[in-house]
Amino acid sequence: GNSVTQMEGPVTLSEEAFLTINCTYTATGYPSLFWYVQYPGEGLQLLLKATKADDKGSNKGFEATYRKETTSFHLEKGSVQVSDSAVYFCALSDSNGANSKLTFGKGITLSVRP
Amino acid sequence: DTGVSQDPRHKITKRGQNVTFRCDPISEHNRLYWYRQTLGQGPEFLTYFQNEAQLEKSRLLSDRFSAERPKGSFSTLEIQRTEQGDSAMYLCASSSGTGERYGYTFGSGTRLTVV
């Protein structure tokens, strides 16, 4: 079945540091890949997505590239801010059927200190 | 459009009681999903509707759980004879089409605590 593996957390960085959060996946079809972010006390928000191999998703300074050869979708940001402190979830959607439900990783908590 | 709304935000119930949650999706979205999220874990798929038809249910959805989406608009998730293991955040999401093109929009969730 489908699965998503995220690096172990939590991650603590200083403001303006470089961020990488690793995500690898296993899927039977040709999934779309997503990063969702959950700020304290709020619901999940779509951060970025990529629907096919070599696509790069980007938003708010975050980027992730769909790497089919390594089955990865690592999240990066060049300079993090305190406001980026949140929980980040990698997810995939496999539309080989009509459902296309999301399969999530466990999430990783990012804390950015001033 | 105000997005996906869930009600209530929090629910505390005694073990053995029944609870019902409501989700109002984005009005033009024909697909609606329920997920469950426990502490320290990512959301897990429970069930999915396309319009009013419930098309898939996870093995996580025991026979104590039932979901409906009458008329293809709002949805309800009912848990009968609640157990402490049911304590979790219950998330609703909606999408237009498969969701892969435009993403899935999540509500803020209903946090259930069974005491």
Side-chain angles (χ1 to χ4, degrees):
Chain A
N2 297 338
S3 66
V4 175
T5 302
Q6 292 186 233
M7 60 184 280
E8 293 290 326
V11 173
T12 301
L13 295 174
S14 297
E15 202 165 25
E16 299 184 1
F18 183 83
L19 169 71
T20 299
I21 301 178
N22 289 343
C23 171
T24 57
Y25 68 89
T26 302
T28 54
Y30 298 93
S32 294
L33 301 174
F34 303 81
W35 277 99
Y36 278 84
V37 58
Q38 191 170 32
Y39 297 103
E42 298 185 15
L44 288 165
Q45 299 177 25
L46 177 65
L47 181 59
L48 53 83
K49 65 180 178 70
T51 57
K52 61 182 187 295
D54 300 325
D55 269 2
K56 177 185 285 188
S58 61
N59 186 26
K60 299 181 180 180
F62 290 89
E63 292 183 339
T65 300
Y66 188 141
R67 301 286 188 200
K68 189 167 183 240
E69 63 276 14
T70 54
T71 61
S72 64
F73 193 54
H74 304 322
L75 182 68
E76 296 182 336
K77 186 174 186 182
S79 176
V80 293
Q81 305 300 310
V82 172
S83 58
D84 294 326
S85 298
V87 182
Y88 291 81
F89 294 94
C90 184
L92 69 82
S93 174
D94 189 348
S95 63
N96 63 342
N99 184 336
S100 65
K101 60 183 180 286
L102 288 167
T103 300
F104 286 87
K106 289 187 175 182
I108 187 169
T109 299
L110 170 66
S111 297
V112 180
R113 54 179 181 236
Chain B
D1 195 342
T2 56
V4 177
S5 298
Q6 292 189 244
D7 183 70
R9 291 293 302 272
H10 304 276
K11 178 70 177 179
I12 300 174
T13 190
K14 292 184 178 179
R15 189 174 52 188
Q17 297 294 305
N18 299 345
V19 294
T20 301
F21 311 140
R22 177 179 170 124
C23 170
D24 286 272
I26 292 174
S27 57
E28 61 267 27
H29 284 182
N30 62 338
R31 297 187 178 213
L32 187 147
Y33 302 79
W34 285 98
Y35 290 83
R36 182 172 67 188
Q37 184 179 14
T38 53
L39 197 62
Q41 301 296 316
E44 296 173 294
F45 169 76
L46 291 179
T47 190
Y48 150 68
F49 291 85
Q50 182 166 330
N51 300 314
E52 67 276 9
Q54 187 174 18
L55 298 185
E56 184 173 343
K57 292 192 290 187
S58 162
R59 290 173 298 170
L60 292 175
L61 213 66
S62 76
D63 56 7
R64 295 184 298 105
F65 288 69
S66 62
E68 294 182 340
R69 193 184 181 195
K71 303 178 183 178
S73 55
F74 71 92
S75 175
T76 58
L77 177 67
E78 180 183 17
I79 308 175
Q80 296 182 326
R81 305 181 303 281
T82 51
E83 301 173 356
Q84 287 189 322
D86 297 331
S87 296
M89 177 76 85
Y90 290 83
L91 298 169
C92 176
S94 68
S95 70
S96 175
T98 62
E100 291 158 340
R101 185 168 185 180
Y102 303 108
Y104 304 77
T105 303
F106 281 82
S108 297
T110 294
R111 181 168 296 284
L112 173 67
T113 302
V114 181
V115 297

